[in-house]
Amino acid sequence: MSAGVRHNVSFETNNIVLIALVAIRSIRYSKWRRCCVHGARLRGFLLEKINFLTSQYSSFAKSPFVDKITEQYNYEITKNPTEWKFVERLMPFKTIPQVVPKESYPSGWIPPKEEARKLPYFIPRTKNYAIPIYLQLSFKGNRKITQLKKIEGDIWLMNDDIKHLLKTKHKRYVETRVHEVARFIEIKGDYVNDMKEWAFSKGF
Amino acid sequence: MGSRQVIEKSLTLLRSLPRVSLNNIRDNPGSKRTQKRGRAQHGGDKHGCGNKGSGQRQNFMRIGYETGTNPFYLRVPQEHYYKGHHYRRQYPPLSLRILQEMIDTDRVDVTAPIDIASIVKTGLYNFFPDQKHFGINLTDEGADTFEAKINIEVQWASELVIAAIEKKGGVISTAYYDPHSLFLLKNPKIFFESGQAIPRRMIPPQDAIEYYTSAENRGYLADPDQISQARIKLAQKYGYQLPIIENDSDYNILSERKDPRQIFYGLEPGWVINLKDECILKPKDEELLRFYSL
């Protein structure tokens, strides 16, 4: 808790210099200079004052207008667990917290089911416990592609199931693209909500 | 002055100065020489100005000037819809549905008051104070399915959002933070590690005072009596039974508020947090106490 140099030249001191300068000028060019003895005396007094105020010091920090610098402020060190709780609350998560099972999830988030691991194909959740099904827009939103990522197991069987499901639901042929190495399926068109609904029903 | 005095003096000076680092050192005096423009055979050719014309004669035209023709920047009529947009305060939205999802997936702790620090901590909210972001705008998407009982502090909220939270027995308040304190709230750990004292929160600018002093917006500078009246009024408008907070088992959580000068819950301005030794340094100096109490 150390402070830097505080230049405490007051506003008033600066004002005095200004007023004095103006006063000297006005005395010099006014009739008071000739006719009044007091004018000359006043002028001498003001000049003396200005010499004091504008005299040169070896450095600004050594001038009488600067306060002495405080290098160390007085403080106390406390260790209070009740206060430290507020600090701990602000610290970032070291890992993403595990979801504690609850009775209901009002937001519509659905926890994955263990039984889904036994299926011939599987989609694991992302690190944020979301299902990796996304809508990819390109050509200024003209081309819509639904992408299912991170697919494990029999990707071709999953492709057949998806195609069959969408054909029966929408009564039209749906184009898909399977990338076996990168483990994703792309469907031409926006079927994100259908696919999410299907994935949750499977327990992914 | 003897050399011993000089050494002692420089040592005391060093103690009060910051640590020597890359950003406060400079080259030795006289170690660098600026290059002079060569004349004639000593490199006096074009000096990077090219051949002929504006560049060589250095009669730089003003920006946008097209040597007499109607310039492009005047050819198109002006449109003032976005005038001053770069000064306007931005409030990135966060919907009630996403807030509920954060609570469902245990990203947000309901047993403590929620503020911008706990929302940013989830890592699911993009917040950049340097891009004129001034906090959270809590939007009403998912207001019908919102179930959590929370004590939340946001920067902007609509009437429906306030109703949705108060219906479930929660408390909402809107509070202003200046950009500097928002930087601290975005990443408190980095700030504590820097070893600086927690500053005071600044008061809202002139055009935001009306919002944050109004009880309808649950402003943090509004009269508490007027807020409790506004709560009853809103419950009558939306037709729900207002739960009584005083009888609630979580009254301590719901009644926790920050001081208008406070940035973090439970931590006062002027304190220095030492994360390494897990202790708090509190000022006792009269001068500092006066400064931070303002």
Side-chain angles (χ1 to χ4, degrees):
Chain A
M1 266 196 256
S2 67
V5 180
R6 281 173 293 114
H7 303 295
N8 264 3
V9 177
S10 64
F11 179 69
E12 282 165 30
T13 323
N14 284 336
N15 266 5
I16 288 167
V17 176
L18 267 176
I19 292 160
L21 282 170
V22 171
I24 285 174
R25 280 202 126 193
S26 55
I27 288 162
R28 188 180 289 167
Y29 298 111
S30 69
K31 57 184 176 180
W32 289 98
R33 195 193 165 206
R34 260 171 256 134
C35 65
C36 187
V37 188
H38 291 290
R41 203 182 280 171
L42 181 68
R43 196 170 160 259
F45 169 75
L46 284 172
L47 272 176
E48 199 179 277
K49 275 277 164 204
I50 283 175
N51 276 342
F52 165 72
L53 287 168
T54 59
S55 59
Q56 299 222 325
Y57 302 96
S58 60
S59 75
F60 181 72
K62 282 184 181 166
S63 67
F65 312 119
V66 179
D67 283 1
K68 216 173 178 191
I69 304 159
T70 320
E71 285 188 3
Q72 192 74 57
Y73 283 104
N74 194 8
Y75 64 92
E76 60 173 337
I77 299 169
T78 52
K79 275 200 174 187
N80 191 347
T82 50
E83 278 169 358
W84 196 254
K85 259 181 204 164
F86 291 110
V87 179
E88 275 175 350
R89 208 196 264 178
L90 293 165
M91 290 299 110
F93 294 122
K94 286 194 175 117
T95 53
I96 294 167
Q98 287 278 327
V99 179
V100 181
K102 295 176 189 71
E103 283 172 18
S104 66
Y105 302 90
S107 66
W109 182 82
I110 295 162
K113 285 173 195 152
E114 273 301 307
E115 304 92 82
R117 283 273 176 196
K118 289 166 194 163
L119 290 169
Y121 45 76
F122 183 70
I123 305 177
R125 291 290 175 99
T126 64
K127 61 180 178 182
N128 290 328
Y129 311 113
I131 192 102
I133 298 171
Y134 308 104
L135 180 67
Q136 304 231 318
L137 296 172
S138 49
F139 297 109
K140 295 192 174 182
N142 285 331
R143 186 171 69 181
K144 290 169 187 164
I145 286 169
T146 310
Q147 198 180 32
L148 290 82
K149 289 169 82 177
K150 297 174 86 174
I151 297 163
E152 290 172 10
D154 194 346
I155 193 166
W156 294 101
L157 181 65
M158 187 176 181
N159 182 43
D160 294 343
D161 285 3
I162 288 167
K163 272 196 152 179
H164 177 71
L165 176 94
L166 291 175
K167 198 175 182 182
T168 49
K169 196 171 181 184
H170 296 281
K171 295 187 178 61
R172 64 196 280 264
Y173 174 74
V174 179
E175 192 78 79
T176 61
R177 187 167 85 94
V178 180
H179 200 309
E180 206 175 344
V181 179
R183 303 190 299 158
F184 67 76
I185 296 174
E186 282 181 345
I187 310 161
K188 203 171 174 183
D190 182 0
Y191 299 104
V192 168
N193 286 344
D194 290 334
M195 281 296 96
K196 277 190 178 173
E197 202 181 303
W198 170 79
F200 290 138
S201 72
K202 287 272 178 188
F204 297 143
Chain B
M1 209 193 292
S3 68
R4 203 169 156 194
Q5 259 183 313
V6 172
I7 292 164
E8 266 172 28
K9 209 162 189 188
S10 26
L11 277 173
T12 47
L13 192 70
L14 259 179
R15 261 175 228 124
S16 64
L17 283 173
R19 195 176 285 193
V20 175
S21 66
L22 279 177
N23 60 6
N24 56 21
I25 54 171
R26 62 160 78 171
D27 294 322
N28 287 334
S31 64
K32 290 207 169 178
R33 285 183 83 178
T34 49
Q35 233 178 356
K36 289 273 160 62
R37 176 180 185 264
R39 299 280 175 177
Q41 71 264 46
H42 311 290
D45 194 30
K46 303 274 197 293
H47 302 290
C49 282
N51 194 22
K52 281 179 158 183
S54 261
Q56 198 177 49
R57 291 178 198 123
Q58 308 210 336
N59 60 338
F60 304 113
M61 292 179 294
R62 61 185 154 84
I63 287 167
Y65 186 60
E66 295 176 14
T67 61
T69 50
N70 194 13
F72 178 75
Y73 77 95
L74 294 175
R75 224 179 294 161
V76 186
Q78 289 185 5
E79 300 184 9
H80 294 295
Y81 319 123
Y82 301 113
K83 195 183 176 189
H85 69 91
H86 55 302
Y87 294 125
R88 289 183 202 168
R89 291 189 293 277
Q90 307 286 323
Y91 298 92
L94 174 80
S95 69
L96 282 171
R97 185 182 63 79
I98 291 172
L99 179 66
Q100 181 68 58
E101 202 171 297
M102 285 173 177
I103 293 163
D104 286 351
T105 52
D106 294 312
R107 290 295 182 97
V108 169
D109 186 14
V110 191
T111 58
I114 302 164
D115 67 340
I116 189 151
S118 45
I119 296 290
V120 173
K121 191 180 152 183
T122 61
L124 303 171
Y125 180 72
N126 285 336
F127 182 59
F128 304 104
D130 55 330
Q131 292 174 20
K132 302 269 181 285
H133 288 186
F134 273 73
I136 301 164
N137 173 14
L138 200 58
T139 56
D140 55 11
E141 190 201 332
D144 297 332
T145 53
F146 192 77
E147 290 291 332
K149 186 176 73 179
I150 48 169
N151 174 11
I152 190 167
E153 187 193 69
V154 290
Q155 279 63 51
W156 207 270
S158 66
E159 196 185 60
L160 180 57
V161 169
I162 294 169
I165 286 172
E166 286 179 356
K167 190 182 174 183
K168 298 293 166 191
V171 173
I172 182 169
S173 62
T174 53
Y176 174 81
Y177 291 92
D178 56 306
H180 184 59
S181 23
L182 286 169
F183 275 110
L184 309 197
L185 285 162
K186 190 184 173 180
N187 203 336
K189 196 187 171 197
I190 279 189
F191 174 73
F192 294 153
E193 279 170 350
S194 73
Q196 295 172 62
I198 300 169
R200 295 168 303 161
R201 198 201 318 182
M202 295 293 116
I203 54 167
Q206 207 172 12
D207 55 341
I209 280 179
E210 200 187 347
Y211 186 89
Y212 292 111
T213 50
S214 118
E216 280 74 44
N217 303 322
R218 308 290 185 270
Y220 73 126
L221 300 173
D223 183 13
D225 294 338
Q226 282 184 9
I227 286 181
S228 51
Q229 275 177 6
R231 279 166 62 89
I232 295 162
K233 212 171 159 186
L234 196 67
Q236 284 168 352
K237 184 178 176 181
Y238 282 83
Y240 58 85
Q241 189 69 37
L242 189 69
I244 300 159
I245 302 170
E246 284 78 9
N247 304 343
D248 204 295
S249 56
D250 302 326
Y251 179 69
N252 288 337
I253 301 162
L254 294 173
S255 62
E256 205 173 330
R257 296 278 186 291
K258 284 181 199 175
D259 188 80
R261 284 297 198 182
Q262 210 176 1
I263 297 172
F264 303 112
Y265 275 111
L267 306 176
E268 283 171 27
W271 291 7
V272 179
I273 312 297
N274 186 345
L275 289 178
K276 202 180 173 189
D277 301 335
E278 298 201 353
C279 60
I280 298 171
L281 281 69
K282 293 178 186 173
K284 271 167 75 183
D285 205 282
E286 193 64 34
E287 201 180 338
L288 288 178
L289 289 175
R290 204 187 321 124
F291 177 77
Y292 285 112
S293 64
L294 290 172

Short mmCIF file of all heavy atoms in Angstrom, two decimals, chain A residues 7-31:
data_model
loop_
_atom_site.label_atom_id
_atom_site.label_comp_id
_atom_site.label_asym_id
_atom_site.label_seq_id
_atom_site.Cartn_x
_atom_site.Cartn_y
_atom_site.Cartn_z
N HIS A 7 1.50 15.79 -5.44
CA HIS A 7 1.85 17.20 -5.60
C HIS A 7 0.72 18.03 -5.03
O HIS A 7 -0.31 18.18 -5.65
CB HIS A 7 2.06 17.51 -7.08
CG HIS A 7 3.10 16.64 -7.69
ND1 HIS A 7 4.40 16.68 -7.30
CD2 HIS A 7 3.02 15.68 -8.62
CE1 HIS A 7 5.08 15.79 -7.99
NE2 HIS A 7 4.26 15.17 -8.79
N ASN A 8 0.97 18.53 -3.83
CA ASN A 8 -0.13 19.21 -3.15
C ASN A 8 -0.05 20.73 -3.30
O ASN A 8 -0.23 21.45 -2.36
CB ASN A 8 -0.11 18.85 -1.66
CG ASN A 8 -1.07 17.73 -1.40
OD1 ASN A 8 -1.66 17.22 -2.34
ND2 ASN A 8 -1.22 17.35 -0.17
N VAL A 9 0.27 21.22 -4.48
CA VAL A 9 0.24 22.66 -4.69
C VAL A 9 -1.22 23.06 -4.75
O VAL A 9 -1.97 22.57 -5.59
CB VAL A 9 0.93 23.04 -6.00
CG1 VAL A 9 0.83 24.53 -6.23
CG2 VAL A 9 2.37 22.63 -5.96
N SER A 10 -1.61 23.90 -3.82
CA SER A 10 -3.05 24.14 -3.72
C SER A 10 -3.51 25.08 -4.83
O SER A 10 -2.73 25.84 -5.41
CB SER A 10 -3.37 24.75 -2.36
OG SER A 10 -2.74 26.00 -2.26
N PHE A 11 -4.75 25.01 -5.10
CA PHE A 11 -5.40 25.85 -6.09
C PHE A 11 -5.28 27.31 -5.68
O PHE A 11 -5.06 28.19 -6.49
CB PHE A 11 -6.86 25.42 -6.18
CG PHE A 11 -7.66 26.24 -7.16
CD1 PHE A 11 -7.42 26.14 -8.51
CD2 PHE A 11 -8.64 27.10 -6.72
CE1 PHE A 11 -8.16 26.88 -9.40
CE2 PHE A 11 -9.37 27.84 -7.61
CZ PHE A 11 -9.13 27.73 -8.95
N GLU A 12 -5.37 27.54 -4.35
CA GLU A 12 -5.33 28.91 -3.85
C GLU A 12 -3.99 29.57 -4.14
O GLU A 12 -3.93 30.73 -4.54
CB GLU A 12 -5.58 28.92 -2.34
CG GLU A 12 -7.04 28.74 -2.00
CD GLU A 12 -7.23 28.38 -0.56
OE1 GLU A 12 -6.40 28.80 0.26
OE2 GLU A 12 -8.20 27.68 -0.25
N THR A 13 -2.89 28.82 -3.95
CA THR A 13 -1.56 29.37 -4.18
C THR A 13 -1.42 29.86 -5.61
O THR A 13 -0.92 30.94 -5.88
CB THR A 13 -0.49 28.30 -3.91
OG1 THR A 13 -0.91 27.52 -2.84
CG2 THR A 13 0.86 28.93 -3.63
N ASN A 14 -1.89 29.04 -6.55
CA ASN A 14 -1.84 29.42 -7.95
C ASN A 14 -2.65 30.69 -8.19
O ASN A 14 -2.26 31.57 -8.94
CB ASN A 14 -2.39 28.31 -8.83
CG ASN A 14 -1.39 27.20 -8.96
OD1 ASN A 14 -0.20 27.44 -8.80
ND2 ASN A 14 -1.86 26.01 -9.24
N ASN A 15 -3.77 30.76 -7.52
CA ASN A 15 -4.65 31.91 -7.68
C ASN A 15 -3.99 33.18 -7.18
O ASN A 15 -4.11 34.23 -7.79
CB ASN A 15 -5.96 31.68 -6.93
CG ASN A 15 -6.99 31.11 -7.85
OD1 ASN A 15 -6.68 30.83 -9.00
ND2 ASN A 15 -8.19 30.92 -7.37
N ILE A 16 -3.26 33.05 -6.06
CA ILE A 16 -2.60 34.23 -5.48
C ILE A 16 -1.62 34.80 -6.50
O ILE A 16 -1.59 35.99 -6.75
CB ILE A 16 -1.87 33.86 -4.17
CG1 ILE A 16 -2.91 33.61 -3.07
CG2 ILE A 16 -0.90 34.95 -3.75
CD1 ILE A 16 -2.36 32.95 -1.84
N VAL A 17 -0.85 33.90 -7.15
CA VAL A 17 0.14 34.34 -8.14
C VAL A 17 -0.56 35.09 -9.26
O VAL A 17 -0.14 36.17 -9.67
CB VAL A 17 0.92 33.12 -8.70
CG1 VAL A 17 1.86 33.58 -9.80
CG2 VAL A 17 1.69 32.44 -7.60
N LEU A 18 -1.65 34.52 -9.73
CA LEU A 18 -2.39 35.12 -10.84
C LEU A 18 -2.92 36.50 -10.48
O LEU A 18 -2.73 37.47 -11.21
CB LEU A 18 -3.57 34.22 -11.23
CG LEU A 18 -3.28 33.23 -12.35
CD1 LEU A 18 -4.49 32.35 -12.55
CD2 LEU A 18 -2.95 33.97 -13.64
N ILE A 19 -3.55 36.57 -9.29
CA ILE A 19 -4.15 37.84 -8.85
C ILE A 19 -3.05 38.90 -8.69
O ILE A 19 -3.21 40.04 -9.12
CB ILE A 19 -4.93 37.65 -7.52
CG1 ILE A 19 -6.16 36.77 -7.78
CG2 ILE A 19 -5.34 38.98 -6.92
CD1 ILE A 19 -6.71 36.14 -6.54
N ALA A 20 -1.91 38.48 -8.11
CA ALA A 20 -0.80 39.40 -7.89
C ALA A 20 -0.30 39.96 -9.21
O ALA A 20 -0.08 41.15 -9.34
CB ALA A 20 0.31 38.70 -7.14
N LEU A 21 -0.15 39.07 -10.21
CA LEU A 21 0.34 39.51 -11.51
C LEU A 21 -0.61 40.54 -12.13
O LEU A 21 -0.19 41.56 -12.65
CB LEU A 21 0.50 38.32 -12.44
CG LEU A 21 1.76 37.47 -12.20
CD1 LEU A 21 1.68 36.21 -13.01
CD2 LEU A 21 3.01 38.27 -12.56
N VAL A 22 -1.88 40.25 -12.05
CA VAL A 22 -2.89 41.17 -12.60
C VAL A 22 -2.84 42.50 -11.87
O VAL A 22 -2.88 43.57 -12.47
CB VAL A 22 -4.30 40.53 -12.50
CG1 VAL A 22 -5.38 41.54 -12.86
CG2 VAL A 22 -4.38 39.33 -13.42
N ALA A 23 -2.68 42.44 -10.54
CA ALA A 23 -2.66 43.66 -9.72
C ALA A 23 -1.47 44.53 -10.10
O ALA A 23 -1.62 45.75 -10.28
CB ALA A 23 -2.58 43.26 -8.24
N ILE A 24 -0.30 43.91 -10.29
CA ILE A 24 0.91 44.67 -10.65
C ILE A 24 0.72 45.38 -11.98
O ILE A 24 1.01 46.55 -12.13
CB ILE A 24 2.13 43.74 -10.69
CG1 ILE A 24 2.55 43.41 -9.27
CG2 ILE A 24 3.29 44.38 -11.45
CD1 ILE A 24 3.62 42.41 -9.16
N ARG A 25 0.17 44.65 -12.92
CA ARG A 25 -0.07 45.22 -14.26
C ARG A 25 -0.99 46.43 -14.14
O ARG A 25 -0.73 47.48 -14.71
CB ARG A 25 -0.73 44.19 -15.17
CG ARG A 25 0.27 43.21 -15.75
CD ARG A 25 -0.28 42.60 -16.98
NE ARG A 25 0.64 42.77 -18.09
CZ ARG A 25 0.29 42.54 -19.35
NH1 ARG A 25 -0.93 42.21 -19.64
NH2 ARG A 25 1.18 42.67 -20.31
N SER A 26 -2.06 46.26 -13.38
CA SER A 26 -3.05 47.33 -13.30
C SER A 26 -2.45 48.55 -12.61
O SER A 26 -2.74 49.69 -12.97
CB SER A 26 -4.31 46.87 -12.58
OG SER A 26 -3.95 46.37 -11.33
N ILE A 27 -1.56 48.32 -11.62
CA ILE A 27 -0.94 49.47 -10.92
C ILE A 27 -0.01 50.20 -11.88
O ILE A 27 0.00 51.42 -11.95
CB ILE A 27 -0.18 48.98 -9.67
CG1 ILE A 27 -1.19 48.55 -8.60
CG2 ILE A 27 0.72 50.07 -9.12
CD1 ILE A 27 -0.60 47.68 -7.53
N ARG A 28 0.73 49.40 -12.65
CA ARG A 28 1.72 50.01 -13.55
C ARG A 28 1.05 50.92 -14.57
O ARG A 28 1.55 51.98 -14.92
CB ARG A 28 2.51 48.91 -14.25
CG ARG A 28 3.69 49.46 -15.05
CD ARG A 28 4.44 48.34 -15.72
NE ARG A 28 5.18 47.54 -14.76
CZ ARG A 28 5.70 46.36 -15.05
NH1 ARG A 28 5.52 45.85 -16.23
NH2 ARG A 28 6.39 45.70 -14.17
N TYR A 29 -0.10 50.50 -15.09
CA TYR A 29 -0.73 51.26 -16.17
C TYR A 29 -1.86 52.15 -15.70
O TYR A 29 -2.58 52.72 -16.47
CB TYR A 29 -1.22 50.29 -17.26
CG TYR A 29 -0.08 49.53 -17.87
CD1 TYR A 29 0.08 48.18 -17.68
CD2 TYR A 29 0.88 50.22 -18.62
CE1 TYR A 29 1.15 47.51 -18.21
CE2 TYR A 29 1.95 49.53 -19.16
CZ TYR A 29 2.09 48.19 -18.96
OH TYR A 29 3.15 47.51 -19.48
N SER A 30 -2.05 52.28 -14.42
CA SER A 30 -3.17 53.12 -13.94
C SER A 30 -2.64 54.43 -13.38
O SER A 30 -1.43 54.60 -13.18
CB SER A 30 -3.96 52.37 -12.88
OG SER A 30 -3.16 52.25 -11.73
N LYS A 31 -3.59 55.32 -13.11
CA LYS A 31 -3.22 56.62 -12.56
C LYS A 31 -2.69 56.50 -11.14
O LYS A 31 -2.02 57.36 -10.65
CB LYS A 31 -4.43 57.56 -12.62
CG LYS A 31 -5.64 57.02 -11.88
CD LYS A 31 -6.82 57.91 -12.05
CE LYS A 31 -8.03 57.29 -11.38
NZ LYS A 31 -9.23 58.07 -11.47
#
